[in-house]
């Protein structure tokens, strides 16, 4: 050992102390590269609960970015880390936070979440970085991440009103914002035996789901079923600006398509191209968007043949996303020739009719839909055929 060794060792210790290497970075195989990244960007990095967090930006004092700013990154090679990923993802926008899932052995688990400061940056990342070649022959999978805040709750007494359900669920879970209830097609005074509950955050919804799991708690003395609801379909605002089809919910079973046509074309005769009614809801196609918006503004919340209707713009389904999801479920990736492009995000009957892969058709939820289908002979037979085929595919 030379005389310089102690001094050299002391200098290295002082440098490490000044950098303040956080736990999870210290001792990592690529420690030097991660430290260099933090020095370049000014971002902090910390590892906790099986994930390593990079961010937020230095000096960030505002609230966290809104929903729609986060993307999911999959198929990450196990030995690729933030020093390689950050330059790729910051090339399309300002990163608010990156969460890389980590194993105990120090390798990543193959996926991460990247949150941008703006929605348009997240959309650009999905558009430009999906199938990005991060290593020779290794392509990243990038798609939108949905911060789900909605639960499905089944087994609700059919006589309960929305306000009663909201009050009961709020007693046993925290952070409840809203309850979505569907009236029975056969009896508008009753619900369909299930509801969707919206929470203020994903964490609140996750805590509620854990608390409401079967066997832990009952509502009104009844056993309930709980599961995640299908996340809302995120449709680009520019696309929504072109929609000229209305979705009409809570119609009477006996209300005819001709009656709907007359009601919705009263401000401009001839503006309705066609009407497709299924049970107690319908799609109304207009010749122009202006006519559709005018009808929606005038008719939403009004009564048609004794029932208060809800009217919204129909949300187009991304055909590529539809095909990918169909393929991932083991079904044919080719839509049927009669497949329509428009669905409404909350109604399982609509989604089943149009063949959209809807999570609530599986697990504890499906028995409620199957029972509803079987006990209503008025149900469109095409819907029943599609739904049974889908359930069979999932089993």
């Amino acid at each position: 050992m030379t005389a310089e060794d102690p001094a050299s060792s002391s200098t290295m210790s002082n440098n490490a102390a000044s950098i303040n290497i956080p736990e999870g970075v210290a001792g990592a195989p690529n420690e030097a590269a991660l430290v260099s990244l933090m020095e370049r960007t000014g971002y902090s990095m910390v590892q906790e609960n099986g994930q390593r967090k990079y961010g937020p930006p230095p000096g960030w004092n505002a609230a966290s970015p809104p929903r729609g700013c986060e993307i999911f990154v999959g198929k990450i090679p196990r030995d690729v880390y933030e020093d390689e990923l950050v330059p790729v993802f910051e090339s399309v926008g300002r990163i608010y936070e990156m969460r890389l899932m980590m194993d105990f052995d120090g390798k990543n688990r193959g996926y991460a979440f990247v949150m941008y400061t703006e929605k348009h940056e997240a959309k650009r990342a999905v558009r430009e970085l999906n199938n990005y070649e991060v290593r020779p022959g290794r392509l990243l999978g990038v798609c939108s991440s949905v911060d789900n805040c909605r639960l499905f709750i089944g087994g609700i007494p059919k006589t309960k009103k929305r306000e009663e359900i909201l009050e009961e669920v709020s007693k046993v879970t925290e952070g409840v914002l809203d309850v979505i209830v569907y009236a029975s097609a056969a009896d508008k005074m009753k619900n369909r035996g299930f509801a969707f509950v919206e929470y203020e955050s994903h964490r609140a919804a996750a805590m509620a789901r854990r608390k409401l799991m079967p066997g832990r708690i009952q509502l009104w003395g009844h056993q309930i079923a709980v599961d995640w609801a299908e996340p809302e379909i995120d449709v680009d605002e520019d696309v929504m600006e072109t929609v000229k089809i209305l979705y009409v919910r809570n119609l009477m079973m006996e209300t005819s398509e001709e009656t709907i046509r007359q009601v919705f074309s009263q401000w401009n005769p001839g503006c309705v191209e066609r009407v497709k009614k299924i049970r107690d809801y319908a799609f109304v196609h207009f010749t122009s968007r202006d006519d559709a918006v005018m009808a929606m503004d005038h008719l939403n919340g009004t009564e048609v043949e004794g029932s208060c209707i809800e009217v919204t713009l129909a949300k187009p389904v991304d055909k590529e996303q539809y095909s990918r999801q169909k393929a991932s479920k083991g079904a044919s990736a080719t839509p049927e020739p009669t497949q329509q492009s428009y669905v409404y995000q909350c109604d399982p009957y609509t989604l089943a009719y149009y063949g959209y892969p809807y999570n609530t058709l599986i697990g504890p939820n499906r028995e409620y839909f199957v029972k509803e289908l079987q006990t209503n002979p008025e149900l469109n037979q095409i819907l029943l055929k599609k739904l049974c085929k889908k359930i069979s595919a999932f089993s």
Side-chain angles (χ1 to χ4, degrees), residues 283-301:
F283 291 98
V284 184
H285 298 243
F286 288 80
T287 56
S288 76
R289 177 179 172 81
D290 289 342
D291 288 326
V293 172
M294 177 181 292
M296 177 178 67
D297 291 342
H298 281 85
L299 293 172
N300 184 38

Side-chain angles (χ1 to χ4, degrees), residues 363-380:
N365 304 6
R366 67 180 179 184
E367 64 182 271
Y368 299 100
F369 301 129
V370 174
K371 182 178 179 181
E372 182 76 10
L373 293 172
Q374 293 174 341
T375 56
N376 284 276
E378 305 91 345
L379 180 61
N380 188 300

Side-chain angles (χ1 to χ4, degrees), residues 30 33-34 37 40-41 43 45 52-54 71-95 97-102 106-116 125 129 131-135 138-142:
N30 61 336
L34 295 178
L37 172 66
R40 175 179 70 82
T41 64
Y43 283 62
M45 196 177 295
R52 193 158 60 200
K53 294 182 180 180
Y54 167 83
I71 62 171
F72 172 82
V73 185
K75 299 191 290 187
I76 302 174
R78 297 290 300 279
D79 59 346
V80 168
Y81 301 98
E82 293 88 346
D83 55 300
E84 292 183 67
L85 294 172
V86 167
V88 172
F89 288 94
E90 69 181 2
S91 68
V92 299
R94 188 185 186 194
I95 295 175
E97 181 181 79
M98 175 182 288
R99 296 184 289 120
L100 182 63
M101 303 301 121
M102 303 294 293
K107 293 184 177 180
N108 78 65
R109 297 173 61 187
Y111 67 98
F113 295 89
V114 180
M115 181 178 291
Y116 287 92
L129 298 179
N131 291 325
Y132 178 88
E133 191 172 22
V134 67
R135 291 272 181 88
R138 302 299 298 273
L139 307 181
L140 297 176
V142 180

